[in-house]
Amino acid sequence: MVLDEVPECTEMDPSFFFADPNDDEEPHGNSERAIAISACNRCYLKTACFQYAIVNDVESGVWGGSVPAQRSAYREKMRTPTVGWVNHKK
């Protein structure tokens, strides 16, 4: 992997990454979203794209191999405090 390699997404039709906005389900098979996610999974910038989408509350499209429902669930998980991490002093 060469860091100056052009990400595959920049050479793909954006409709693969921004398919039907009402389709928030997991992609399957050869759907446009599945093809976009496959491109993300091969990309060295996948984590950076995912983090960008999380930090900027991006609510549409495939970013870092994730669909909106996955990012929403991740954000919710990060907002939920973990039990047991608090230091209980008496």
Side-chain angles (χ1 to χ4, degrees), residues 9-87:
C9 63
T10 64
E11 298 175 346
M12 292 176 67
D13 184 334
S15 69
F16 282 82
F17 294 87
F18 297 95
D20 182 0
N22 297 317
D23 178 17
D24 219 14
E25 295 182 19
E26 291 283 336
H28 299 288
N30 292 324
S31 71
E32 289 180 330
R33 277 197 170 163
I35 293 168
I37 289 171
S38 180
C40 291
N41 288 337
R42 293 187 295 271
C43 185
Y44 67 97
L45 293 173
K46 178 181 177 181
T47 301
C49 286
F50 178 77
Q51 289 172 341
Y52 174 87
I54 293 297
V55 169
N56 293 287
D57 287 330
V58 178
E59 295 182 4
S60 64
V62 173
W63 288 82
S66 66
V67 297
Q70 292 168 321
R71 292 191 301 273
S72 178
Y74 180 83
R75 282 187 207 100
E76 185 59 34
K77 182 178 178 183
M78 293 297 102
R79 288 185 193 111
T80 305
T82 304
V83 175
W85 69 272
V86 178
N87 184 3

